[in-house]
Amino acid sequence: MRKLLIIGAGKSTASLVRFLAQKSQEQQLEITIADKNLPQAQKIAEISDHLKAESLDIFDVNDREEAVKQADIIVSMLPARFHIEVAKDCLKFEKNMVTASYVSKEMQALDDKVKAKGLTFMNEIGVDPGVDHMSAMQVIDRIKNQGGKMLMFESFTGGLVAPESDDNLWHYKFTWNPRNVVVAGQGGAAKFIQEGKYKYIPYQRLFRRTEFLKVPGYGKFEGIANRNSLQYRDIYGLENIPTLYRGTLRRVGYSKAWNVFVQLGMTEDTYVMENTKEMSYREFVNSFLPYSPSDSVELKLRHNLKIDQDDLIWEKLLELDLFNPDKKIGLKEATPAQALQKILEDKWMLQPNDKDMIVMYHKFGYELKGEKHQIDSTMVSVGEDQTYTAMAKTVGLPVGMATLKILNGEITRSGVLRPIYPDIYNPILKDLEEYDIKFNEQDVEYLGYNVENVN
Amino acid sequence: MRKLLIIGAGKSTASLVRFLAQKSQEQQLEITIADKNLPQAQKIAEISDHLKAESLDIFDVNDREEAVKQADIIVSMLPARFHIEVAKDCLKFEKNMVTASYVSKEMQALDDKVKAKGLTFMNEIGVDPGVDHMSAMQVIDRIKNQGGKMLMFESFTGGLVAPESDDNLWHYKFTWNPRNVVVAGQGGAAKFIQEGKYKYIPYQRLFRRTEFLKVPGYGKFEGIANRNSLQYRDIYGLENIPTLYRGTLRRVGYSKAWNVFVQLGMTEDTYVMENTKEMSYREFVNSFLPYSPSDSVELKLRHNLKIDQDDLIWEKLLELDLFNPDKKIGLKEATPAQALQKILEDKWMLQPNDKDMIVMYHKFGYELKGEKHQIDSTMVSVGEDQTYTAMAKTVGLPVGMATLKILNGEITRSGVLRPIYPDIYNPILKDLEEYDIKFNEQDVEYLGYNVENVN
């Protein structure tokens, strides 16, 4: 029996565990799920007899080291900032490890030592980052191997509500951490490059500078620029690509309405408001509008942001019950972002029967033998229920697959890794197709931007 | 002879020194101007034989202590962050001191020790802070002494170009630190209170939420909310005042045009742009606009920010030569704010014959014997030339007056102080009138905000 230790029983762990449990007999796995919260680990473990739940406080060095020492491979599903502690143990006891998180500076710094011991520390193998890396690199490498030259790479991912559960005007529900959604885009301008020109979008314009995308079978979406589209330029080997853009997907119309919150200052997270415990939703809105006792909060908002009487944005605001004078924020010392999150959670929580959906869209523009081409590649994954969500599946499955492939010696590359190498992404993408996580490629006309001549 | 040490030969020092030099015979003053930059100190000292210039590096502890020890009183005209070093020496050698800067936490922490030694550390006795404190507290104390209850205090200050030198469409030139103007309002929402309701304006709305004010003899201005209007609530004894608002003055129309820069992201100071050394003004603007080779930068900007063909904002942008493809930013690794400052400095520097102007506007609303009243108080000071600017005068004169009054035992209050006490502000405000820095009070109808009833 091979011992597999999963540390952290969070939202994505259930899908990972189900996948591994199904393979446990054939693969001779003894799987332990360790979490500080034992009942949470037990709940995940109860689906199979091959699973064991254990209490583990990762800040107890002895317990943590003991757990790592006994395992053959370790999967850290902890919050990203805690991986490094596990990684140090893995290095000490010479164990391979897998995480779905971004490679931190501290993690990257271990690379030489990890390589020297011939270990594999696989990271960024969830959905975003993860499936995005693999699906993008597969096409980029193919184009390069054919002798093509990359002209454009645009990539969009969105965690959304599935069409069958899409029953609000925003066409959005929280399928992951609500806080990240409320503060998304803050902390600096979005930077990208188009036709060799660097472009910057400040936060206050971000939600008005979207572009539309059509996903076959799923209709139209809009893409909002991510903060740093250039982050993976070198890692993807796209140093000289003239157009590189990464974004987040929402349903059409979301951003224009969300911009109301941005403009009013409701998404700010840098200061605490007065009296938020007793503040009504209506008072919250009024805090961001001029004082004028002869006018309603509604008209002040409409006037201030120039929202026409027949604008659907207005219906979206009403749907959130934003002007309710009786509902209270009820949070002590809340920032505007925290108060807004509270209001949105009333309406945007996934209901017991709701399903979520992950949508990914890549555009690859390239030149081959003097001709320009474009491939559009899309992937849609719909969740099964509230446990086996699309988010959990698209994170958990690639993590599980990578773990098995490392354990079985199918992945042998050593170092602190991302899944950007053919020997990693090819077998995993193939396996993911069995779980209906597959990309639909289309050759489309390359339009680029240089439609005319000027400027 | 009494020995007076002025440390720091900056912009405001000339006015301060001229005032003191004129008094030096009658007051038996021996005045030393000390600065790291000896020629700069010498230039200021050359106006009178009673003045001595000295080289002093304030980071040389021995030299600094020696200089402080020999003086009877010390005026620190250094950048604000350096006062604390001088303050510690003053405490050690039991000398009084004066600064025009905000009381820092470190300075405030010395209060007990300063009091115990019976010393006076006078701060915030320039123009803003300084003249604003004194002129406001004089009226507030008078109202309170009459038995009135404060309902409203709004206070605005602006450093502007004098009408006779006002020759651009923005009606603005840099009269002080340009950088502060470019980044003004950043770093959190503007917070104030109106009729008992807390209000918050985020940076992206700040320049669209202005209010107009008319200064007798000088026409209309607009007020932009300061970041924290409530900073002096307790210090002014206005704990329960329902309306408290502080702002910055500009000429009407400035803010609406400035908002173009804010919206485009040109005022951001948190990241460095690519290639700013070689970047043209036109390319700088284009960085913040969508890529579209078939459209001009001009039309993209107009369309993006919905600027009508006949909007004066457009003429303001053209006047700055914003779309020039030949002029270069010429700064290595500049932030957007630094690049914008460069563009503005081309046009907004005070010319040799230009004069500046300080404008201050206070509104005091109060209730007395069941009736509501309002006093509007305004002050305008116009500079003489580029040396004795209004800014330098309104900073340097109160500093000089306070220094003499402390030296002469007319001000005896001890501690780390602001000029908010009648024994300080009354004599200084009276002296300032001789220099034409005087407030014009008008009783006006109290309108408040509760014109009707609702909301």
Side-chain angles (χ1 to χ4, degrees):
Chain A
M1 295 297 274
R2 283 100 55 87
K3 288 183 181 163
L4 203 156
L5 173 65
I6 300 167
I7 310 181
K11 279 187 187 173
S12 300
T13 305
S15 279
L16 165 65
V17 166
R18 184 173 67 169
F19 167 78
L20 291 171
Q22 283 162 354
K23 304 271 178 187
S24 58
Q25 205 132 20
E26 157 204 336
Q27 295 279 339
Q28 299 206 292
L29 303 175
E30 197 182 295
I31 304 166
T32 304
I33 305 152
D35 199 289
K36 201 180 167 181
N37 184 335
L38 182 61
Q40 203 168 314
Q42 283 168 330
K43 188 156 179 278
I44 290 176
E46 75 195 5
I47 59 160
S48 160
D49 296 338
H50 298 274
L51 301 170
K52 212 172 70 183
E54 228 173 49
S55 172
L56 174 66
D57 177 357
I58 58 145
F59 295 111
D60 184 324
V61 182
N62 290 337
D63 278 12
R64 197 183 66 216
E65 288 195 349
E66 198 52 41
V68 168
K69 203 163 31 172
Q70 287 179 9
D72 292 307
I73 188 165
I74 291 90
V75 181
S76 176
M77 299 297 278
L78 293 163
R81 63 188 180 285
F82 300 134
H83 294 322
I84 190 67
E85 301 307 325
V86 177
K88 285 173 188 165
D89 294 343
C90 287
L91 195 60
K92 187 170 173 185
F93 301 109
E94 307 203 355
K95 310 288 181 181
N96 295 317
M97 79 175 283
V98 179
T99 88
S101 304
Y102 288 105
V103 174
S104 64
K105 270 184 203 162
E106 295 77 22
M107 184 69 88
Q108 187 60 53
L110 299 180
D111 188 46
D112 285 344
K113 287 181 189 162
V114 172
K115 271 189 188 135
K117 292 197 171 182
L119 295 173
T120 306
F121 283 16
M122 178 70 74
N123 303 275
E124 304 192 12
I125 187 136
V127 57
D128 175 7
V131 175
D132 58 344
H133 288 335
M134 295 191 282
S135 53
M137 287 307 296
Q138 191 176 51
V139 177
I140 291 169
D141 283 343
R142 195 173 72 214
I143 290 168
K144 286 186 178 177
N145 290 338
Q146 290 169 347
K149 187 186 155 204
M150 288 294 297
L151 297 177
M152 171 181 87
F153 175 55
E154 299 191 357
S155 177
F156 303 85
T157 305
L160 297 153
V161 64
E164 54 262 54
S165 308
D166 179 353
D167 54 13
N168 72 40
L169 289 170
W170 294 75
H171 306 298
Y172 186 78
K173 294 186 185 180
F174 290 128
T175 63
W176 201 241
N177 187 347
R179 180 174 163 75
N180 291 352
V181 176
V182 175
V183 302
Q186 294 182 22
K191 178 179 175 184
F192 50 94
I193 187 166
Q194 279 177 310
E195 296 284 345
K197 290 187 193 291
Y198 287 98
K199 297 288 181 182
Y200 308 86
I201 309 179
Y203 181 61
Q204 55 268 30
R205 294 293 295 164
L206 190 60
F207 295 91
R208 298 307 311 280
R209 294 267 306 266
T210 59
E211 56 174 87
F212 293 159
L213 294 155
K214 213 171 155 183
V215 177
Y218 288 87
K220 266 193 178 173
F221 296 81
E222 59 192 21
I224 307 151
N226 286 353
R227 268 190 62 210
N228 194 349
S229 289
L230 309 180
Q231 200 176 355
Y232 291 106
R233 185 158 53 170
D234 298 349
I235 290 163
Y236 283 14
L238 299 173
E239 288 83 355
N240 298 312
I241 197 165
T243 297
L244 186 55
Y245 183 105
R246 290 171 66 98
T248 298
L249 292 176
R250 293 287 182 265
R251 281 291 185 180
V252 168
Y254 174 93
S255 301
K256 218 170 158 178
W258 184 262
N259 188 51
V260 169
F261 302 144
V262 173
Q263 292 307 316
L264 289 173
M266 288 181 179
T267 60
E268 285 196 34
D269 201 41
T270 53
Y271 68 92
V272 160
M273 299 180 79
E274 303 276 341
N275 315 326
T276 44
K277 182 91 185 157
E278 288 304 313
M279 182 184 270
S280 72
Y281 289 9
R282 188 179 188 84
E283 283 165 341
F284 173 67
V285 176
N286 200 18
S287 302
F288 301 103
L289 294 167
Y291 189 89
S292 176
S294 55
D295 297 301
S296 66
V297 178
E298 284 86 348
L299 193 63
K300 288 193 297 185
L301 194 155
R302 275 185 184 269
H303 169 252
N304 219 259
L305 296 184
K306 298 203 175 77
I307 300 174
D308 286 330
Q309 198 174 322
D310 58 354
D311 195 323
L312 195 61
I313 287 176
W314 191 252
E315 300 303 314
K316 288 180 181 151
L317 300 181
L318 292 181
E319 191 185 70
L320 295 172
D321 219 1
L322 209 58
F323 302 99
N324 192 313
D326 300 317
K327 285 194 187 170
K328 305 270 191 226
I329 300 296
L331 302 171
K332 252 172 102 170
E333 303 197 335
T335 65
Q338 288 164 341
L340 177 61
Q341 182 182 330
K342 172 64 170 45
I343 293 174
L344 297 175
E345 281 173 343
D346 287 357
K347 302 286 177 179
W348 287 2
M349 291 305 285
L350 279 184
Q351 297 306 303
N353 295 317
D354 279 350
K355 292 177 184 176
D356 73 327
M357 172 170 76
I358 296 282
V359 182
M360 210 171 272
Y361 198 120
H362 302 305
K363 294 186 192 182
F364 307 90
Y366 62 102
E367 198 177 312
L368 184 65
K369 294 171 190 156
E371 273 185 44
K372 287 175 178 165
H373 303 271
Q374 184 172 327
I375 296 168
D376 279 15
S377 174
T378 57
M379 187 278 289
V380 177
S381 173
V382 173
E384 295 169 32
D385 54 35
Q386 287 261 40
T387 305
Y388 302 105
T389 62
M391 186 69 92
K393 249 167 55 178
T394 52
V395 172
L397 289 175
V399 167
M401 289 164 184
T403 306
L404 285 188
K405 285 178 200 303
I406 294 167
L407 197 59
N408 293 335
E410 292 168 54
I411 293 175
T412 54
R413 193 180 281 268
S414 64
V416 171
L417 302 178
R418 296 181 183 85
I420 53 171
Y421 308 99
D423 47 306
I424 298 169
Y425 62 66
N426 280 327
I428 293 177
L429 285 172
K430 190 156 167 281
D431 283 5
L432 284 172
E433 290 194 3
E434 283 170 40
Y435 292 82
D436 218 31
I437 298 172
K438 61 176 174 226
F439 283 79
N440 169 17
E441 281 187 28
Q442 276 191 300
D443 288 306
V444 301
E445 194 187 352
Y446 179 84
L447 290 172
Y449 296 91
N450 264 313
V451 186
E452 301 273 327
N453 49 345
V454 230
N455 184 23
Chain B
M1 295 298 275
R2 282 102 52 87
K3 288 182 181 163
L4 201 155
L5 172 65
I6 299 167
I7 310 180
K11 280 185 185 173
S12 299
T13 306
S15 279
L16 163 66
V17 166
R18 183 172 68 169
F19 167 79
L20 291 170
Q22 283 161 354
K23 305 273 179 183
S24 58
Q25 205 131 20
E26 155 205 337
Q27 294 278 341
Q28 299 207 293
L29 302 175
E30 199 182 292
I31 304 166
T32 304
I33 305 152
D35 199 291
K36 201 180 168 183
N37 183 336
L38 183 61
Q40 202 168 318
Q42 283 169 331
K43 188 158 179 274
I44 290 175
E46 76 192 5
I47 60 162
S48 161
D49 297 337
H50 297 276
L51 300 170
K52 214 174 70 185
E54 229 174 49
S55 171
L56 175 64
D57 177 357
I58 58 145
F59 294 109
D60 183 322
V61 181
N62 289 336
D63 278 12
R64 197 183 65 217
E65 288 196 349
E66 198 52 40
V68 168
K69 200 158 43 169
Q70 287 179 11
D72 292 307
I73 189 164
I74 290 91
V75 181
S76 177
M77 298 298 276
L78 294 164
R81 62 188 181 285
F82 301 134
H83 294 320
I84 189 68
E85 301 306 326
V86 177
K88 285 174 187 166
D89 295 343
C90 288
L91 195 60
K92 185 169 174 184
F93 301 109
E94 307 202 357
K95 309 289 181 181
N96 295 317
M97 79 175 284
V98 179
T99 88
S101 305
Y102 288 104
V103 174
S104 64
K105 270 185 203 160
E106 296 76 23
M107 185 69 88
Q108 187 59 52
L110 300 179
D111 188 46
D112 285 346
K113 288 180 186 163
V114 172
K115 272 188 187 137
K117 293 197 170 180
L119 296 173
T120 305
F121 282 16
M122 178 70 74
N123 302 278
E124 304 192 11
I125 188 136
V127 57
D128 175 8
V131 174
D132 58 344
H133 288 335
M134 295 191 282
S135 53
M137 287 308 297
Q138 191 175 52
V139 178
I140 291 168
D141 283 345
R142 195 172 74 215
I143 290 168
K144 286 187 177 176
N145 290 337
Q146 289 168 348
K149 187 188 155 201
M150 288 295 294
L151 299 177
M152 172 180 85
F153 175 55
E154 299 191 358
S155 177
F156 304 85
T157 304
L160 297 153
V161 63
E164 54 262 54
S165 308
D166 179 352
D167 54 15
N168 71 39
L169 290 171
W170 294 74
H171 307 297
Y172 186 77
K173 294 186 185 180
F174 290 128
T175 63
W176 202 244
N177 186 345
R179 180 174 163 77
N180 291 352
V181 176
V182 175
V183 302
Q186 295 182 21
K191 179 180 174 183
F192 52 94
I193 185 166
Q194 278 178 310
E195 297 284 345
K197 291 188 194 291
Y198 287 99
K199 296 288 182 182
Y200 307 86
I201 308 179
Y203 180 61
Q204 55 267 32
R205 294 293 297 164
L206 190 60
F207 295 93
R208 298 307 312 279
R209 294 268 304 265
T210 59
E211 56 175 88
F212 293 161
L213 293 155
K214 212 171 157 183
V215 177
Y218 289 86
K220 266 193 178 172
F221 296 81
E222 59 191 20
I224 306 151
N226 287 353
R227 268 191 61 209
N228 195 349
S229 289
L230 309 180
Q231 200 176 357
Y232 291 105
R233 185 157 55 169
D234 297 350
I235 290 163
Y236 282 15
L238 299 173
E239 289 82 354
N240 298 311
I241 197 165
T243 298
L244 187 55
Y245 183 106
R246 290 170 66 98
T248 298
L249 291 176
R250 293 287 181 264
R251 281 291 186 181
V252 168
Y254 172 94
S255 301
K256 219 171 156 177
W258 185 263
N259 188 52
V260 169
F261 302 144
V262 173
Q263 291 308 316
L264 289 173
M266 288 182 180
T267 61
E268 285 196 33
D269 201 40
T270 53
Y271 68 94
V272 160
M273 298 179 79
E274 303 276 343
N275 315 325
T276 46
K277 182 89 185 160
E278 288 305 314
M279 181 184 270
S280 72
Y281 289 10
R282 188 179 187 83
E283 284 166 340
F284 173 66
V285 177
N286 199 19
S287 303
F288 301 102
L289 294 168
Y291 188 89
S292 175
S294 55
D295 297 300
S296 67
V297 178
E298 285 86 348
L299 192 63
K300 289 193 296 185
L301 195 153
R302 274 185 185 271
H303 169 253
N304 218 259
L305 296 183
K306 297 202 175 76
I307 300 173
D308 286 330
Q309 198 175 322
D310 58 354
D311 196 323
L312 195 60
I313 287 175
W314 192 251
E315 301 303 313
K316 288 181 181 150
L317 299 182
L318 292 181
E319 191 185 71
L320 294 173
D321 219 1
L322 209 59
F323 302 99
N324 193 313
D326 301 317
K327 285 194 186 170
K328 305 268 189 228
I329 300 296
L331 301 171
K332 250 173 101 171
E333 303 197 335
T335 65
Q338 287 165 342
L340 177 61
Q341 182 181 330
K342 171 62 170 46
I343 294 174
L344 297 174
E345 280 174 346
D346 286 358
K347 302 286 176 176
W348 288 1
M349 291 306 285
L350 280 183
Q351 297 306 304
N353 295 318
D354 279 349
K355 292 177 182 176
D356 73 327
M357 171 171 76
I358 296 281
V359 182
M360 211 172 272
Y361 198 120
H362 301 306
K363 295 184 190 184
F364 306 89
Y366 62 102
E367 196 175 316
L368 184 63
K369 292 171 191 155
E371 274 185 43
K372 288 176 175 164
H373 304 272
Q374 184 172 325
I375 296 168
D376 280 15
S377 175
T378 57
M379 185 278 286
V380 178
S381 173
V382 173
E384 295 169 33
D385 55 34
Q386 286 261 40
T387 305
Y388 302 106
T389 62
M391 185 69 92
K393 249 168 55 178
T394 53
V395 173
L397 289 174
V399 167
M401 289 165 184
T403 306
L404 284 188
K405 285 178 201 302
I406 294 167
L407 198 58
N408 293 335
E410 292 168 53
I411 292 175
T412 54
R413 191 181 284 266
S414 66
V416 171
L417 302 178
R418 296 179 183 87
I420 52 171
Y421 308 100
D423 50 305
I424 299 169
Y425 64 65
N426 280 326
I428 293 177
L429 285 172
K430 190 156 166 284
D431 283 7
L432 283 172
E433 291 195 2
E434 283 171 40
Y435 292 82
D436 220 31
I437 298 171
K438 60 178 174 226
F439 282 80
N440 170 18
E441 281 186 27
Q442 276 191 299
D443 288 306
V444 301
E445 194 186 350
Y446 179 84
L447 289 172
Y449 295 90
N450 263 314
V451 186
E452 300 273 328
N453 49 344
V454 231
N455 183 24

